[in-house]
């Protein structure tokens, strides 16, 4: 053991969930409490930052108390307090950070700052540890949520017996003792891809809104896509080339993105599905050395394409009728899910709309797959982790699993409860930092644009 009780209290308040959890040695979840504000923001069709901060303020104390009670612990039992430092909404992050700082100071316990995106990755790693599964290194992580679409190459460098293709994660107590203070547990991340405009979840939400569906749109689209024809409408993704300016030469500017607006016939949704032609990095990235390759995403074009399709096919009146009917039904039953709506009012979901939804989802998932597997191949990743809210998508899970099996790669997803925002993932990500003695400075502040890795 690294020392102490192994118990870390995690606190998460970066967006619209106030969450607290107690996790033992980054593996066992003793308590996991999430107060969701979804219903509050649903009527505005998106998260309202001022309301989110106020709600966090109201919830933070009862949520932490509930987590401690659920774990059956006193504050004195804890080794450390971990909190999300960013990225996220400034006011929302501030509530969690201020409370965590005060708690740590009052208790005389260390405070650990965690990047929210690292938390999403550790949600999967924590569950792999629970199943006693080792993840193979290097690992490629796709973090795909309402605010983020990022690809990271992740490694834990100082595992004993390290080297190409080693596995990690499950260490004996002796190994843990040996590694204490040596930097063990501090993962390294290289950001090898990111969205240049909208996040994938944001595209799901915006398209759902264009179609008059409920909020958040992802789960609605997922359920309705099952009833449509994914090949009815062909969406294409334009090619994106990103050249990175090496950081040490120009630290204020980390890249220049060149959008090639012309649809590239090799990048149709169907090709994405076949996955037969991953991008050879050296050809497509202008001969950039491996350390500078990137695999970027863009989702604003497909959102516009859906809007044009709706306008061009006279679907506007149908959308407005559906918006009205669903708004009324959601007022009566705010927790209503798409499956229920489909069953109770099938007439609201015409075949053309269902086909459009299925085709949109098919194209987005195909694009996420194409970039992820191309990056995995180019960078020699031996395992893939997909996390964040969109990783709950059923088509995404099925197609990623099939493709990974064909390529002999391991792919891991979080359970549904761990795919959306929670604090167990924050406490789990903090464990390695605790072992390494990587504590936050007293002056820790919220960092809304916090980056992960290099
Ligand atoms: O990780 P998360 O809970 O919060 C952020 O950090 O953004 O992700 C929320 C996002 C929303 O955009 C939501 O529509 C999307 O995840 N989402 C889904 C599904 N479930 C949630 N998108 C597609 N299919 C789903 N089943
Ligand atoms: Zn998140």
């Amino acid at each position: 053991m690294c020392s102490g009780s192994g118990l870390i209290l995690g606190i998460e308040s970066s967006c619209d969930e106030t969450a607290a959890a107690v996790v033992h040695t980054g593996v066992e979840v003793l308590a996991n409490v999430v107060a969701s504000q979804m219903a509050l923001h649903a009527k505005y069709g998106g998260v309202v930052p001022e309301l989110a901060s106020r709600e966090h303020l109201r919830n933070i104390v009862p949520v932490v108390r509930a987590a401690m009670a659920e774990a059956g612990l006193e504050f004195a039992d804890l080794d450390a307090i971990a909190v999300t430092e960013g990225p996220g909404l400034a006011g929302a992050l501030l509530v969690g950070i201020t409370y965590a700082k005060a708690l740590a100071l009052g208790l005389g316990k260390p405070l650990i700052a965690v990047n929210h995106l690292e938390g999403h990755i550790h949600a999967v790693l924590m569950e792999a540890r629970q199943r006693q599964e080792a993840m193979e290194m290097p690992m490629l992580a796709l973090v795909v949520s309402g605010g983020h679409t990022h690809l990271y190459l992740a490694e834990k460098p100082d595992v004993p017996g390290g080297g190409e293709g080693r596995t990690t994660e499950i260490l004996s107590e002796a190994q843990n003792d040996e590694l204490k203070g040596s930097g063990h547990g501090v993962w390294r991340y290289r950001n090898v891809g990111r969205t240049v405009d909208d996040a994938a979840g944001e595209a799901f939400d915006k398209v759902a809104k264009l179609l008059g569906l409920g909020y958040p749109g992802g789960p609605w689209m997922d359920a309705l896509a099952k009833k449509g024809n994914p090949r009815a409408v062909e969406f294409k993704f334009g090619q994106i080339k990103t050249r990175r300016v090496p950081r040490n030469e120009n630290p204020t500017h980390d890249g220049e993105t060149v959008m090639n607006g012309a649809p590239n016939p090799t990048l149709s949704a169907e090709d994405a599905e076949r996955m037969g032609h991953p991008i050879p990095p050296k050809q497509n990235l202008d001969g950039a050395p491996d350390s500078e390759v990137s695999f970027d995403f863009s989702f604003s074009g497909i959102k516009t394409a859906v809007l044009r399709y709706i306008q061009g096919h006279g679907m506007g009146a149908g959308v407005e009728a559906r918006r009205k009917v669903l708004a009324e039904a959601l007022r009566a039953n705010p927790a209503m899910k798409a499956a229920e709506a489909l069953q109770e009012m099938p007439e609201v979901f015409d075949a053309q709309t269902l086909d459009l939804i299925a085709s949109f989802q098919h194209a987005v998932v195909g694009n996420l797959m194409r970039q992820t597997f191309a990056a995995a191949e180019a960078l020699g990743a031996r395992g893939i982790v997909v996390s964040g809210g969109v990783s709950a998508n059923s088509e995404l899970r099925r197609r990623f699993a099939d493709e990974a099996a064909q390529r002999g790669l391991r792919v891991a997803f979080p359970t549904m409860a761990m795919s959306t925002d929670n604090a167990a993932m924050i406490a789990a990500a903090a464990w390695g930092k605790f072992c390494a003695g990587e504590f936050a400075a007293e002056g820790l502040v919220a960092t809304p644009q916090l980056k992960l890795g290099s």
Side-chain angles (χ1 to χ4, degrees), residues 3 29 44-45 57 85 91 93 97 102 115 134 155 182 197 235 258-259 304 311 313 317 361 363 381 404 437:
S3 79
V29 181
Y44 303 98
L57 214 45
E85 175 185 11
L93 287 163
I97 291 174
N115 184 307
E155 279 203 89
S182 70
D197 41 54
F235 291 110
V258 184
M259 290 287 294
T304 310
Q311 291 167 340
H313 290 76
Q361 179 172 287

Side-chain angles (χ1 to χ4, degrees), residues 308-319 352:
R308 295 230 175 89
Y309 189 92
I310 293 171
Q311 291 167 340
H313 290 76
M315 295 169 73
V319 167
Q352 194 178 21

